[in-house]
Amino acid sequence: MLSKLLLKVALKKWKIGDYAVKFWDGDSYQNGSNPPKFIIKINRPLKLSDLKKDMSLTIAEAYMDGVIDIEGSMDEVARVLYLHTNYADLHKHDNAKPFQSSAKEKSNISSHYDLGNDFYSIWLDETWSYSCAYFKTPEDSLHTAQIQKLDHTLKKLDLKPGEKLLDIGCGWGWLSIRAAQTYGVDVLGITISEEQYKAAKARVIQAKLEDKVEIRLLNYQDLDPKEYQFDKVVSVGMFEHVGKANIPLYFKKVKEVLKPGGMFLLHSIMCCFEGETNAWIDKYIFPGGYLPSLREVVSIMSESDFHLLLAESLRIHYAKTLDEWFKNFNHHIDEISVKYDERFVRMWGLYLNSCASAFRVGSVDLFQLLLTNSVNNDLPLTKEYIYR
């Protein structure tokens, strides 16, 4: 027989959840708040044969045999079992540390995004959106498709007036501004590009949204959960720069600043398989970047207790976006050639054109993943709200 003392010592290791255990002699043990959400009543002293390696098997068989009774929320019983049984996996990234430092990330980003706002303004659309557009028809202009992308992205988050939204990698600020204008949310947009920061701040002032939108020169690694807590988080076209070793840290930081149950939309290029970054892209275009596989991202995000609600591929949309950028680039090539040498111009032309081909043949993809921080059972039952 197992003594009550041994059982209480074992129960002290189960620190998650609001529950109580009532022993056969009327004594009890409680964890968490009072009243508890469920009570396990042990009707007689346990034998060693009652205990199995798997806790869920132990409890289920004990219930079947009348050794225990359960009162209260079965949902809470299932939740506590899940969190304790998978504790090691759910907490494996708790102590994740930066592999690529904040300073190194800033240097890598600067080499690409700080080429000058005048460079990007030549061949991007009026929003300066440097990410995949969303074409509802083949005839949509690039500008129309970029506005549609912003709206499609924001609709997925089911934003409500007064909510706080974090925009990680806010670029030139258009998504942050659109969110505040359309949904009445309070937005913090962060970037580590000096050029983007200056332009995004100027745009916020021009839109007279200083009371709703704040743009900060800040790395996601440096987000302080004591200072910031958000209802929703969005990140468009930034995740590719995090680097393979920093993916667990990225999800850890998002989790720390996102309220439990809050939605997170991740918009990122991904590959079919894990592997090395294209050597030419790494050397000349995106130093320090990494394109993870969908499998890799889903695995790591699950280990941080993020739950996937929706995954949408926009692969062909990105191929078309890149075609439009390449067309604009070539249309203004004389203007660009005045500012940059021939090797740079040929490099960028190759980059835009070859990436469009990579999306068309499916060697890379673009996914929007809609996640929640832990489980949220109070969301709309369908995704119809996105298309209303």
Side-chain angles (χ1 to χ4, degrees), residues 115-179:
L115 291 171
N117 291 335
D118 55 346
F119 171 67
Y120 289 100
S121 66
I122 292 173
W123 51 274
L124 295 178
D125 74 300
E126 298 93 315
T127 68
W128 294 8
S129 293
Y130 188 30
S131 57
C132 176
Y134 185 68
F135 295 85
K136 292 185 178 181
T137 74
E139 292 74 33
D140 288 344
S141 69
L142 178 60
H143 178 64
T144 296
Q146 289 293 9
I147 295 295
Q148 289 170 175
K149 183 273 301 293
L150 298 178
D151 291 340
H152 187 61
T153 302
L154 293 170
K155 281 181 179 180
K156 288 181 178 180
L157 287 166
D158 196 24
L159 295 166
K160 302 290 191 299
E163 287 187 330
K164 295 185 183 299
L165 172 67
L166 172 63
D167 183 3
I168 302 178
C170 65
W172 286 277
W174 204 270
L175 184 144
S176 294
I177 291 170
R178 188 84 171 176

Side-chain angles (χ1 to χ4, degrees), residues 211-320:
D211 62 328
K212 299 295 290 181
V213 180
E214 179 186 4
I215 305 296
R216 293 195 62 180
L217 196 61
L218 181 68
N219 193 303
Y220 77 92
Q221 294 184 16
D222 302 318
L223 285 165
D224 183 355
K226 294 178 182 177
E227 183 179 357
Y228 299 112
Q229 285 293 301
F230 299 93
D231 301 285
K232 311 283 172 66
V233 175
V234 62
S235 186
V236 175
M238 172 271 172
F239 188 61
E240 299 90 336
H241 303 288
V242 165
K244 182 179 178 68
N246 273 350
I247 293 176
L249 175 68
Y250 177 86
F251 280 104
K252 173 177 179 283
K253 296 301 295 186
V254 173
K255 187 173 186 66
E256 287 176 349
V257 298
L258 180 59
K259 295 176 182 178
M263 285 188 183
F264 170 36
L265 188 137
L266 178 63
H267 171 122
S268 178
I269 304 169
M270 298 182 196
C271 285
C272 295
F273 309 102
E274 296 93 78
E276 297 297 322
T277 302
N278 178 282
W280 180 75
I281 292 286
D282 184 57
K283 182 175 181 179
Y284 290 101
I285 308 298
F286 291 119
Y290 173 72
L291 299 183
S293 70
L294 179 62
R295 170 176 59 191
E296 192 174 11
V297 173
V298 170
S299 175
I300 294 173
M301 67 136 198
S302 298
E303 291 165 353
S304 295
D305 200 23
F306 280 99
H307 292 256
L308 182 62
L309 300 176
L310 183 69
E312 182 179 17
S313 168
L314 300 182
R315 179 182 60 81
I316 203 65
H317 294 264
Y318 215 163
K320 188 164 176 55

Side-chain angles (χ1 to χ4, degrees), residues 111-112 115-116 119-120 123 280 284-285 329 333 336-337 339-351:
S111 70
H112 187 89
L115 291 171
F119 171 67
Y120 289 100
W123 51 274
W280 180 75
Y284 290 101
I285 308 298
F329 187 87
I333 201 161
I336 296 170
S337 297
K339 301 174 181 290
Y340 302 95
D341 64 28
E342 183 181 359
R343 191 167 191 259
F344 177 92
V345 173
R346 290 175 64 86
M347 176 185 77
W348 267 83
L350 176 63
Y351 157 61

Side-chain angles (χ1 to χ4, degrees), residues 23-34:
F23 297 96
W24 53 90
D25 61 358
D27 194 7
S28 64
Y29 171 87
Q30 181 148 342
N31 186 81
S33 65
N34 190 20

Side-chain angles (χ1 to χ4, degrees), residues 51-65:
L51 302 180
K52 307 297 189 294
K53 186 176 180 181
D54 185 282
M55 182 55 69
S56 61
L57 180 61
T58 297
I59 291 175
E61 286 191 348
Y63 179 83
M64 290 165 57
D65 296 335

Side-chain angles (χ1 to χ4, degrees), residues 53-85:
K53 186 176 180 181
D54 185 282
M55 182 55 69
S56 61
L57 180 61
T58 297
I59 291 175
E61 286 191 348
Y63 179 83
M64 290 165 57
D65 296 335
V67 176
I68 67 168
D69 288 306
I70 301 171
E71 298 177 357
S73 170
M74 188 55 70
D75 284 3
E76 187 65 12
V77 176
R79 188 182 78 89
V80 169
L81 277 172
Y82 166 72
L83 292 176
H84 280 286
T85 304

